[in-house]
Amino acid sequence: MLNLLPGGFKHGFREAREILSGLSVLGADSLVEQGINQTFALVMKDYDDFLATKLNPCPAAKTPPQDAGTALR
């Protein structure tokens, strides 16, 4: 299932581009175009980060600190 998500993201962004292109709101200098590009990049980066944490969990994060009280002092 995790392998299907990026394709869904890409499909949704592609459809949105087609709709917005039909409305003539896209272009090289368009803020809408820039927003779409930035949003797509962020979604894909966050997905990659999420996937990395699920496939390669950090073992240190699972172990509680030895003395949590000393960290607050």
Side-chain angles (χ1 to χ4, degrees), residues 13-27 30 32-33 36:
F13 275 92
R14 191 170 34 252
E15 283 187 352
R17 278 185 191 280
E18 289 174 10
I19 292 168
L20 293 171
S21 181
L23 296 172
S24 300
V25 296
L26 297 182
S30 167
V32 175
E33 178 84 20
I36 290 171

Side-chain angles (χ1 to χ4, degrees), residues 33-60:
E33 178 84 20
Q34 293 172 17
I36 290 171
N37 293 338
Q38 289 173 343
T39 302
F40 181 77
L42 289 170
V43 166
M44 295 309 292
K45 181 194 175 306
D46 286 349
Y47 174 74
D48 289 342
D49 292 347
F50 167 78
L51 195 57
T53 62
K54 293 302 174 190
L55 297 178
N56 300 312
C58 178

Side-chain angles (χ1 to χ4, degrees), residues 4-13:
L4 296 176
L5 289 174
F9 296 147
K10 291 174 184 177
H11 181 77
F13 275 92

